[in-house]
Amino acid sequence: MKCIVLAGGFGERLWPLSRKNCPKQFMKIARGHSIFQDTIARNIPYCDEFIIVGNYEHRYIIKNQLEPFQGLSYRCIYERKPLKTTATIMLACLSLQPTELVFVVPTNKTIEAAGYKDTLMVAKERAKEGYVSILVEKQELSDSRYGYVTELDGELVRSYVEKPRQKLKAVYKNLGFLLFEDGVLFRELSQSLVKECQEEYKNKSVEEEGIVYTGNSITPIPIEKALLEKSNRLKAIQIKFNYKDIRTFEDLKGYKSKGLIVAKDCNNTEVINTSRCAVVMNGVNDLVVVNTEDALYIGKNGIGLKEILQKEELKPFSEKSRFFNRSWGSYEDLLEEPNYRIRKLVINTGETIYKHKHTKRCESWFVIKGLAKVTIEDKTRVYSVNDSVTALIGKAHQISNVGEIPLVLIETATGEILQDMVSIESKNLSEVDLGMFSEPIVKLKPALKDYLWGGKRLKEKYGIQTDMDVVAEAWELSAHPDGESKVSSGRHKGYTLSRYLKKAGNEVLGWKSAPLQKFPLLIKFIDAKENLSVQVHPNDDYALEHENQYGKSELWYVIDSMPGSGLYVGFNRNVSKEEVRKRVKDSTITEILNFYPTKPGDVFFIPAGTVHAICGGNLICEIQQSSNCTYRLYDYDRRDKYGNLRELHLEKALDVLNFDRYEVVEGNVCCKYFEVEIIDVVKEKLITVNDDRFISIICIDGKGTIEIDDYLLEVKAGDSFFIPAQEATLKIRGNMKIVKSNI
């Protein structure tokens, strides 16, 4: 199950605890961690991947708050401007498969664990039945701040009202949780909204921190208005757990203040003190007092803050706290005077504050925790706990964390101007550049696809765990944005393959791949229970011009085939564009295709431009260029379980087709894009690894171990491994059949 975490919002209600650059969802409210972190931790047992949706300006705080979750599988979506929840949820769901279960969770509540699992399991079952589950709490009277189910038939929602103006009796409060099958959501929403989001999805930009949307083509509308007030496929699941909405200071009862509070003869007064100063209250009633290091708020209970925070003179305090997040970590201002400043810096593992200098100030750093690699001008040294180092005025300097834990520094700056900085162009440093340990073998977890022609053999043969009804494809080695493999071993566990490659550095690709703009290979398992569409792939020139991705030549290794199974590959005679167009229209296209019966062990090479189709009954390992560019000619007029026809691409297909008679050459395992070797391992196989290229190893049958220099991992059927470029000997022991691929 995928979990969409709604982490947007600016949290003005809890100022000065929350600020624009650190709103309430990221405040450390729950036992020393934030509501956002609490939301992630609570759902880890139930969800295999998290999709975090937030504001673009909060990308660094999200990155830093995810650091403690080692091995967590996640990706981030950022909005340049608030898009409202309908678009937010749809844009996250467009990257998922139609039968995947999706759990949408807010980050404005603290929740007790007891009863949460039981509630979630009921909601999950209703989602599997084709409904959208919402979590509700029965209440005597409505509140205009929330939405309510006003009429129920068992669990079926007959009427829903968002933020009713009049008081309603015996209602069910919507808590903001949704659970549904991905395909059900798109069936229930307005198709005009769906098309807007599809257009926005096509125009997404990809940055290091995640996918970014501008929202220029989106109509902002809350999910309550677009779905809950209109759908007749809602099931209301009454909660079995206790929770608290965090909206006002009164909701923060029990918040642990670090500063001293002394109160005498005070009634109905809430005091929060996060500063080093003491707060003394004497004989006051009905107040809220919030004291921080740089701002003090005193007000009556229940009075809003929004209007007063608009005052211009308050903006330096309402928008920024003393704590700042950066791509490399974070810093906290401890003390600042006109000619000196003291800060606490936290640099995450493998991150760098890149080269810069100051013309008006000098800086010194004292290492409190971790290992710092510091370069000043042309001198580099590693510093450890209790060491100190100074960069004088005008001296270029750079600091990296080369340890296994966050690096903590106390920085002092002195000079006539404390804000000056001159950036110096420098190379992005990978972990290899920093001299950090890099695992010689990286195990991967596949991205799964549930196309309508797929079956269940991949789940049965390779033990793939998923909520999907079927698994049509498992992308075993992929850095393609349409479906990335995930690292499932070592220090980078949970990273997408592209994130791992960026972190580890181009050196792991080898010099043959390092100059390429994108990762060159995509390897997948294909379980064809039914026929795949008749299709063709473009070559590089056409694909780069029209699709902004590589073309697609591919190789098929037949793992298994049912009696009578086969493949369509190429035309059985010379044909014309006009004839192909006519035969697609009258559903006779397969009459002019070569049909080749298949058996386990067969190998077929399919160059770009060759018409082809995998027929039902085949289980195949496909090695291809890293491209998801497929032009469908014909799809048998099939509809998926949600009643949708798949899009055809006739004109583009006709642009790239090779219309000549095709003679298949079986057993071809080498082309300019990749080399493939099928290896039977009996007891032991030694494979030489060089620094010019990476290697992919996929086990299709059997079990054993894989090892480089005493770094050993277990291997079973279905496992996929990325072997970084290096000078080493790969030892594979056991009895198994593997597919070895490289460029």
Side-chain angles (χ1 to χ4, degrees):
M1 185 162 66
K2 309 303 181 188
C3 186
I4 298 176
V5 181
L6 303 179
F10 290 96
E12 295 169 320
R13 294 185 183 94
L14 296 182
W15 184 87
L17 290 179
S18 66
R19 311 289 175 99
K20 188 176 180 181
N21 75 326
C22 186
K24 68 179 181 182
Q25 62 269 30
F26 304 119
M27 290 166 41
K28 293 185 177 180
I29 290 175
R31 298 177 298 280
H33 57 273
S34 68
I35 313 176
F36 169 75
Q37 290 173 311
D38 196 49
T39 302
I40 298 290
R42 182 190 320 120
N43 290 292
I44 285 175
Y46 316 110
C47 302
D48 59 6
E49 184 181 23
F50 291 80
I51 303 173
I52 317 299
V53 186
N55 295 297
Y56 182 74
E57 58 190 273
H58 295 152
R59 63 197 184 281
Y60 296 141
I61 191 170
I62 289 174
K63 177 182 177 182
N64 290 330
Q65 292 213 351
L66 289 170
E67 278 290 321
F69 296 100
Q70 295 297 323
L72 184 76
S73 179
Y74 73 88
R75 47 200 158 109
C76 296
I77 293 175
Y78 296 113
E79 303 168 348
R80 289 280 187 180
K81 61 181 181 182
L83 302 181
K84 299 291 187 180
T85 46
T86 301
T88 292
I89 294 168
M90 278 200 290
L91 289 170
C93 287
L94 279 168
S95 64
L96 304 178
Q97 297 300 293
T99 61
E100 283 190 288
L101 290 175
V102 182
F103 187 31
V104 180
V105 298
T107 53
N108 61 354
K109 294 174 174 60
T110 58
I111 292 175
E112 294 182 9
Y116 186 76
K117 172 181 174 292
D118 294 339
T119 304
L120 185 53
M121 291 304 102
V122 175
K124 187 174 180 180
E125 287 305 311
R126 301 301 175 266
K128 288 180 178 179
E129 295 166 2
Y131 293 95
V132 176
S133 296
I134 64 174
L135 304 191
V136 300
E137 178 190 41
K138 190 171 184 179
Q139 295 188 343
E140 294 301 318
L141 288 174
S142 64
D143 182 322
S144 60
R145 297 176 299 173
Y146 304 103
Y148 294 89
V149 174
T150 58
E151 185 180 347
L152 268 182
D153 181 0
E155 292 177 340
L156 188 64
V157 176
R158 294 298 188 190
S159 177
Y160 179 91
V161 179
E162 179 64 13
K163 297 181 179 178
R165 294 181 181 180
Q166 296 180 335
K167 291 287 185 182
L168 302 174
K169 295 182 179 180
V171 289
Y172 298 85
K173 177 185 173 184
N174 172 30
L175 303 187
F177 297 82
L178 299 169
L179 208 163
F180 51 82
E181 272 190 358
D182 182 87
V184 170
L185 177 73
F186 289 96
R187 184 185 64 193
E188 291 297 296
L189 288 169
S190 157
Q191 289 309 295
S192 62
L193 289 174
V194 172
K195 288 179 181 178
E196 284 182 3
C197 286
Q198 288 172 335
E199 186 63 28
E200 185 76 16
Y201 183 77
K202 288 179 183 177
N203 296 323
K204 63 182 179 291
S205 62
V206 180
E207 298 187 4
E208 182 178 352
E209 285 76 29
I211 295 172
V212 181
Y213 292 105
T214 62
N216 292 334
S217 59
I218 296 292
T219 301
I221 179 172
I223 195 70
E224 292 82 6
K225 292 291 184 182
L227 178 68
L228 303 192
E229 288 190 341
K230 297 181 179 181
S231 175
N232 61 4
R233 298 290 297 174
L234 302 182
K235 286 287 184 84
I237 312 303
Q238 295 192 54
I239 62 169
K240 301 176 182 178
F241 56 84
N242 295 321
Y243 74 97
K244 182 188 290 184
D245 281 315
I246 305 299
R247 297 177 63 91
T248 67
F249 290 115
E250 288 80 1
D251 299 321
L252 293 179
K253 287 182 179 178
Y255 182 88
K256 188 175 181 181
S257 295
K258 71 177 183 181
L260 177 65
I261 299 171
V262 177
K264 181 176 182 295
D265 298 330
C266 299
N267 296 308
N268 194 30
T269 294
E270 295 295 328
V271 185
I272 297 174
N273 181 17
T274 65
S275 77
R276 297 172 179 83
C277 301
V279 174
V280 180
M281 307 294 293
N282 190 7
V284 297
N285 301 314
D286 304 318
L287 292 182
V288 172
V289 179
V290 182
N291 187 39
T292 66
E293 293 288 355
D294 63 339
L296 168 65
Y297 170 71
I298 303 173
K300 284 193 173 183
N301 273 321
I303 294 180
L305 279 164
K306 190 170 184 178
E307 184 176 340
I308 196 170
L309 290 179
Q310 302 304 313
K311 291 183 176 295
E312 192 67 29
E313 61 269 30
L314 271 179
K315 282 191 175 180
F317 299 93
S318 62
E319 295 188 356
K320 304 291 184 183
S321 67
R322 297 166 64 90
F323 191 90
F324 297 84
N325 287 272
R326 294 291 182 263
S327 60
W328 43 262
S330 61
Y331 70 86
E332 180 182 2
D333 283 327
L334 302 178
L335 178 65
E336 183 165 347
E337 295 293 339
N339 295 321
Y340 67 92
R341 180 184 64 209
I342 301 175
R343 283 177 173 171
K344 175 184 176 183
L345 276 60
V346 179
I347 304 175
N348 294 327
T349 298
E351 299 290 350
T352 296
I353 301 176
Y354 283 100
K355 189 172 289 187
H356 62 282
K357 65 181 180 180
H358 310 291
T359 59
K360 301 292 183 180
R361 75 175 193 255
C362 68
E363 292 178 334
S364 297
W365 302 278
F366 299 85
V367 181
I368 305 302
K369 186 187 297 185
L371 291 175
K373 187 175 185 179
V374 180
T375 298
I376 300 177
E377 293 293 321
D378 58 352
K379 294 182 179 180
T380 300
R381 179 184 156 186
V382 174
Y383 296 85
S384 57
V385 175
N386 295 327
D387 288 339
S388 64
V389 58
T390 298
L392 298 175
I393 292 175
K395 300 294 184 181
H397 52 277
Q398 180 170 278
I399 307 174
S400 301
N401 179 356
V402 294
E404 297 297 319
I405 61 173
L407 170 65
V408 180
L409 304 171
I410 297 298
E411 175 189 276
T412 61
T414 58
E416 57 181 287
I417 298 176
L418 299 177
Q419 305 304 324
D420 78 303
M421 187 176 81
V422 179
S423 295
I424 299 172
E425 187 175 346
S426 54
K427 171 191 172 185
N428 285 337
L429 298 178
S430 67
E431 292 181 350
V432 173
D433 294 324
L434 295 174
M436 300 177 68
F437 172 74
S438 182
E439 287 92 351
I441 304 171
V442 177
K443 188 176 181 180
L444 300 175
K445 179 181 178 182
L448 307 179
K449 305 291 180 179
D450 67 344
Y451 307 130
L452 56 84
W453 43 261
K456 298 185 178 180
R457 280 195 288 180
L458 290 176
K459 295 170 73 172
E460 295 165 355
K461 182 177 178 66
Y462 296 133
I464 292 174
Q465 300 296 313
T466 177
D467 291 317
M468 294 180 186
D469 296 336
V470 301
V471 177
E473 295 183 353
W475 293 19
E476 298 289 322
L477 175 76
S478 171
H480 196 284
D482 288 346
E484 290 206 53
S485 308
K486 301 288 179 66
V487 175
S488 63
S489 67
R491 185 156 49 88
H492 301 96
K493 184 177 180 180
Y495 280 32
T496 61
L497 180 57
S498 61
R499 184 182 173 209
Y500 158 74
L501 294 173
K502 186 173 184 64
K503 192 81 169 175
N506 281 343
E507 292 83 356
V508 301
L509 294 173
W511 60 261
K512 286 182 67 176
S513 294
L516 299 177
Q517 185 178 357
K518 298 177 182 178
F519 187 74
L521 286 185
L522 197 163
I523 303 177
K524 63 178 72 165
F525 289 139
I526 299 174
D527 175 17
K529 182 181 179 184
E530 307 292 342
N531 290 353
L532 276 69
S533 61
V534 178
Q535 58 190 241
V536 64
H537 308 303
N539 61 25
D540 288 341
D541 289 343
Y542 190 94
L544 288 169
E545 179 182 351
H546 293 85
E547 312 293 348
N548 193 31
Q549 58 179 308
Y550 294 133
K552 186 175 174 183
S553 292
E554 58 194 21
L555 180 142
W556 294 334
Y557 173 77
V558 180
I559 299 172
D560 194 16
S561 62
M562 306 294 286
S565 300
L567 307 168
Y568 287 116
V569 184
F571 294 111
N572 54 29
R573 57 177 172 80
N574 293 344
V575 297
S576 67
K577 181 181 292 189
E578 291 71 26
E579 181 181 4
V580 172
R581 188 191 301 275
K582 178 179 179 299
R583 285 185 175 275
V584 167
K585 187 175 181 179
D586 62 22
S587 302
T588 62
I589 183 70
T590 57
E591 294 178 8
I592 57 173
L593 303 182
N594 290 310
F595 180 79
Y596 294 91
T598 52
K599 64 183 184 302
D602 284 346
V603 177
F604 296 83
F605 177 62
I606 316 296
T610 304
V611 64
H612 60 275
I614 298 173
C615 299
N618 284 295
L619 184 63
I620 283 174
C621 180
E622 178 177 286
I623 297 89
Q624 60 163 85
Q625 292 175 264
S626 183
S627 171
N628 196 27
C629 191
T630 297
Y631 298 147
R632 296 189 196 94
L633 280 162
Y634 178 63
D635 197 42
Y636 317 97
D637 298 320
R638 294 179 294 193
R639 294 181 181 270
D640 65 19
K641 65 182 286 187
Y642 308 105
N644 303 312
L645 288 167
R646 292 205 294 172
E647 182 182 5
L648 299 181
H649 318 91
L650 179 59
E651 297 307 318
K652 285 185 176 180
L654 293 173
D655 283 347
V656 303
L657 269 172
N658 181 346
F659 297 100
D660 295 336
R661 182 175 182 271
Y662 182 80
E663 291 284 352
V664 71
V665 179
E666 297 187 39
N668 189 343
V669 295
C670 180
C671 68
K672 71 174 184 177
Y673 300 109
F674 48 75
E675 297 176 341
V676 181
E677 185 179 0
I678 312 301
I679 301 173
D680 287 304
V681 178
V682 180
K683 292 187 178 179
E684 183 177 83
K685 176 70 176 179
L686 303 181
I687 296 174
T688 300
V689 185
N690 297 313
D691 64 0
D692 64 341
R693 72 193 75 182
F694 67 88
I695 293 174
S696 165
I697 298 290
I698 296 179
C699 178
I700 57 177
D701 195 26
K703 62 181 181 179
T705 61
I706 187 168
E707 177 184 358
I708 290 180
D709 296 335
D710 298 326
Y711 188 89
L712 182 146
L713 294 174
E714 300 289 330
V715 181
K716 67 180 187 307
D719 285 348
S720 171
F721 300 89
F722 173 85
I723 313 299
Q726 58 195 292
E727 295 293 336
T729 298
L730 178 67
K731 300 175 184 177
I732 304 178
R733 295 188 177 97
N735 293 288
M736 66 187 93
K737 185 182 289 290
I738 64 170
V739 178
K740 170 183 170 288
S741 309
N742 54 263
I743 63 167

